[in-house]
Amino acid sequence: GDSVTQMEGPVTLSEEAFLTINCTYTATGYPSLFWYVQYPGEGLQLLLKATKADDKGSNKGFEATYRKETTSFHLEKGSVQVSDSAVYFCALMNTGFQKLVFGTGTRLLVSP
Amino acid sequence: DTAVSQTPKYLVTQMGNDKSIKCEQNLGHDTMYWYKQDSKKFLKIMFSYNNKELIINETVPNRFSPKSPDKAHLNLHINSLELGDSAVYFCASSRLGQSSGNTIYFGEGSWLTVV
């Protein structure tokens, strides 16, 4: 079945550091890919998405590019802030299956 | 204006009790979901309804019974609560019928603790 693999956390960075959170997927067909973020004590918010190969999703300084050849959707940000501290979830939705399959989440901790 | 709202946000209850979590969306979507997030933050779909009809049931114990009175509401009733039911339950909604790029919007979660 479809699955998503994320790097283990926590990822600990200093403010203004460069962030990469790796995400790879296994799926039949051509899924759409998503990054969701969960701030402490809050619900899930959509951060960005990409619906086809080579698409780049971006929001709030975060970016991720849909790479079909490497089945990856790595999340990047050039300069993180303390307020970016949260759990980040990579997810896919496959054509015809109206459900999200999530990775295990990666906790990001940013210190001043 | 909250797009997907669920109540209660926090619920502490004893083993064996029956409890319900309510969910409403005002986005005009036709598909609603329940997801469960366990203590390790792992998220998994439980149910999905489209226009009040069940379309996904991911081998959830039959103590869990979703009910959709209309396409804007999807409630979750849990019978005979067990310690292992302690989790965060997320309601979500989307619009079916478009490409697989449909965005699913989540509520703020209901933190259930069974003691």
Side-chain angles (χ1 to χ4, degrees), chain A residues 76-106:
Chain A
E76 296 182 336
K77 186 176 186 184
S79 176
V80 293
Q81 306 300 311
V82 173
S83 58
D84 294 327
S85 298
V87 180
Y88 292 81
F89 292 92
C90 186
L92 70 82
M93 182 189 295
N94 216 334
T95 307
F97 296 94
Q98 288 296 315
K99 68 175 185 180
L100 283 166
V101 175
F102 284 93
T104 50
T106 301

Side-chain angles (χ1 to χ4, degrees), chain A residues 38-43, chain B residues 9-10 41 108 111:
Chain A
Q38 186 176 26
Y39 297 102
E42 297 187 13
Chain B
K9 182 162 184 176
Y10 299 102
K41 297 286 191 184
E108 294 193 342
W111 270 252

Side-chain angles (χ1 to χ4, degrees), chain A residues 13-21 39 47-48 59-64 74-85 88 108 110:
Chain A
L13 294 172
S14 297
E15 209 165 22
E16 299 184 4
F18 184 85
L19 168 71
T20 301
I21 299 179
Y39 297 102
L47 183 59
L48 53 84
N59 187 24
K60 299 181 181 179
F62 291 88
E63 292 183 340
H74 304 321
L75 183 68
E76 296 182 336
K77 186 176 186 184
S79 176
V80 293
Q81 306 300 311
V82 173
S83 58
D84 294 327
S85 298
Y88 292 81
L108 171 66
V110 181

